[in-house]
Amino acid sequence: MVKRLVARAVLSAFLLSGTALSAQAAGTLKVAVDSNLNTLDPAKMKGGQEYVAAYLLFNGLTAIAADMTLKPDLAERWEHSADLKTWTFFLKKGVKFHSGREMDAEDVLATITRIQDKATGSTARVNFEIVESMKAVDSHTVEFTLKSPYSGFAELFGERQARIVPRDGLDTLASNPVGTGPFQFVSFAPGDRMVVKRNPTYFEAGLPKLDEVVIRILPETASQVAALTTGELDLAWNLPPEAVDKVKATSNLKAEAVPTSTWDGVIMNGTTKPFDDVRVRRAVATALDKQAITQIALFGYGTPTHSPIPPSHPYFNKDLPIAKGDPAAAKKMLAEAGYPNGFEVTLYTPAGRATRERLGLAVRELLKPAGITVNVQRVPFDVFLKDIEGKAGFYIDGFFSRPTIDTSVYPWYHSRGSWNAALWNYANPAMDKLLDGARQATSEEEAKKLYGEVQALAVQDAPGVIPYVINHVNGVSARVQGFTSHPMMFLDLRNVSVGQ
Amino acid sequence: MLLYTLTRLAYLAMVLVVMSILVFLVTQAMPGDVASMIAGQFASKEVIDAITVKLGLDQPLIVQYGRWAAGILQGDLGRSLVLEQPVAPILMEALSRSLVLAVVALAVVTVIGIGLGVLAAVRRGRLADQMVSGVSYLGIAVPDFFWAIVLVLVFGSYLKWLPTGGYAPLSDGFVPWASHLVLPVVTLVLMLIARIARLTRSSMIDVLQTNYVKYARAKGLPETVVIVRHALRNALLPTITVLAIDFGLILGGVVVIETVFSFPGMGRLLLFAIQRHDLPLIQATILIISTAYCLANLAADLLYAFVNPKIRHGMGNA
């Protein structure tokens, strides 16, 4: 009797679970990211995995499209004064937050005020330091007055942290992220998964197509690829280069690759010895073979470059040769700088970032023939942020694509650039003049010429070596329709659907 | 027995207090800090200072500890500094998953491990004994991550019988939930079973040579009765202790296994908290793990005392 009852219970459980499986929404997309999300509050986001959530749940005033052009998002249009100092954004009417309330100008002001607050700790704060004042002209018009002319101001609203959030839910964003985005928040289990569902009142008609998106946190690449193969997953976001060949070789999978302007760099801090001598920095740059580094660090899934400006950009300086690695010439430069026998130096790499660790090892091997002995030291990421970045003499770092050419270059190379002093402390009045001129360039030709010179100077002064820009690759199941990889590494799922 | 239990509970409370102070001091001594982590790359000192003040990390250590301890006494485990959410629900979710893993794995290990140990002891020197010993050596010698990867490749990627990793809540259905547990449980069993089988074998061999077992056999009792009722009960004493420790080990998080299988349990939660210097989350996680360890040991001791009355009357030398 008991046996029979148990058998029945087990059978019922199986039948029920079968029902549960088949009852899952037909339009459910299962996505994998490789690391936990630290926060769901867009202003505080710093990692690519978090940006994935940001673009599902929120919108900006403007959007950077896949062709890298700027498109309207929550703002239907914008205007600026002739002197580029007054910018007016006209918001779309009838756009609702997931809470049901209509988004208006006060929400925009509250969002930017919060980003500007130091205690928020938003990395986008430096972008909005240029804002002198802002006001709501009416319920759907916002006006910004800038401290200085800036032609790229509208692009800043396409940035990852500048997502418009409701003024009446600022304190609960981390646990209850309410936005205007195509999907709305359902649940988040740290270390396991985040679930979002279709926003029925999304302002773009007929979008999104999916009913639900499940973002699973799977740290092991091998598990991600295996799960893609078995159909447990539909999409693996930002595959590491070492996994791409495996995905390509699997019949029901595609590797969706797109060039980006995300880069890794070998940083040489100009305030520390021996890197305060430009000849030493040049010697290091001369000894490094960028094509070989791209092969070692990225398995070839990237492109050698001179600066953060990628070879795919129209302003890329094609006349400048890519360094091929010349240890003999590097030795000669070192001897001129007073290091005839080379020198020994510690190179710090952030632990757990495989690409940058491989880059560190490549640098070590390529500098040996030039007489430079490099001791690579892996440092936990939190220690790296606190004690290495901006302080150590020689280390590996890396940066996500920025939305505009100005935001990609100016902060690093201008002596007053927001990230220059926190990285390599580089200052050259000629570079400042070029970058200031480029900000006010009135024609494409003029801008291209100036940025071409910026790249030449960046190579000549070598505050660091930027060996490559990486390709962003997503592993995608054949069931997934309508997906393309975004050069900013955003996960745009508005037009995506899944077949049976 | 009641007095013995109360005394042990008092010890447990003391251990937890000392543990909480130790964890607090160790996390303070760790390089890096949560404010820099939250502020991210290129944050100015002003920004880091502003976050430090906002989080109350500028207060003296004793004040910070006092605040935290007072919260604990009121049942409040604090708020995660990074996730900006109460710690308790996050912890409970991870703990419940680890608990399922621990209970299922331990049940399998107990039944099969003790069975194999008894079989090897009874068939001492014969083929069965040698096979159990061989398998045990293999289990001890091969690291857990190797088993885990082999299992993923064979049953996940190649045969496609089971999920390669992750976790499915019971709300997804019984089969998805159970199938996600199979591979981590099998890995844990392979990792733990060898020790249990070998320990049971050696203590069983000792017990089988005692006079009371010889006497029971001389009385003409069936061999099964001799082994199960007379020998096994005493032979299991050291095994109970090891099982309790193993239970604590799994609850405390088996980081390597949880990482390979992307299993969101206590181990990965603690790793997440440590990597981000999330002090309240580190403190609460370690406190829960310590409590689990202590309770598992207490359960083992009580079981020991129940089985062996000498111990609870202070006559044991264990």
Side-chain angles (χ1 to χ4, degrees), chain B residues 206-221:
Chain B
D206 289 346
V207 171
L208 287 174
Q209 290 166 340
T210 56
N211 287 335
Y212 67 84
V213 171
K214 287 177 185 167
Y215 179 68
R217 279 181 176 149
K219 276 202 315 189
L221 289 173

Side-chain angles (χ1 to χ4, degrees), chain A residues 393-417:
Chain A
F394 198 41
Y395 57 97
I396 302 292
D397 214 329
F399 301 88
F400 274 116
S401 306
R402 293 302 193 267
T404 63
I405 186 119
D406 176 71
T407 49
S408 301
V409 181
Y410 189 99
W412 280 274
Y413 291 105
H414 197 285
S415 60
R416 292 192 311 276

Side-chain angles (χ1 to χ4, degrees), chain A residues 346-402:
Chain A
T346 300
L347 176 71
Y348 298 95
T349 64
R353 274 129 177 100
T355 305
R356 291 180 208 170
E357 287 183 32
R358 286 195 295 265
L359 169 55
L361 294 175
V363 168
R364 182 182 72 186
E365 296 309 311
L366 292 167
L367 291 184
K368 248 184 221 170
I372 301 172
T373 306
V374 177
N375 305 310
V376 177
Q377 194 172 324
R378 295 164 78 245
V379 183
F381 196 61
D382 56 338
V383 179
F384 184 85
L385 288 180
K386 189 168 186 282
D387 301 331
I388 303 299
E389 220 170 34
K391 298 184 181 78
F394 198 41
Y395 57 97
I396 302 292
D397 214 329
F399 301 88
F400 274 116
S401 306
R402 293 302 193 267

Side-chain angles (χ1 to χ4, degrees), chain A residues 37-50:
Chain A
L37 287 73
N38 290 338
T39 182
L40 302 178
D41 179 342
K44 298 176 184 179
M45 288 178 174
K46 289 174 209 69
Q49 304 80 3
E50 291 157 1

Side-chain angles (χ1 to χ4, degrees), chain A residues 150-218:
Chain A
Y150 186 43
S151 58
F153 187 64
E155 275 95 341
L156 297 183
F157 291 96
E159 261 287 30
R160 301 162 178 90
Q161 292 83 6
R163 310 283 89 197
I164 304 305
V165 292
R167 62 183 182 276
D168 50 0
L170 299 177
D171 295 331
T172 53
L173 279 168
S175 53
N176 183 31
V178 169
T180 52
F183 295 91
Q184 59 190 68
F185 178 73
V186 175
S187 66
F188 172 50
D192 179 27
R193 68 187 58 205
M194 175 178 165
V195 181
V196 297
K197 66 178 183 189
R198 186 173 182 274
N199 171 9
T201 61
Y202 186 57
F203 62 87
E204 289 184 276
L207 299 180
K209 294 175 179 172
L210 291 165
D211 297 319
E212 185 180 64
V213 180
V214 178
I215 296 166
R216 289 177 57 189
I217 296 141
L218 300 173

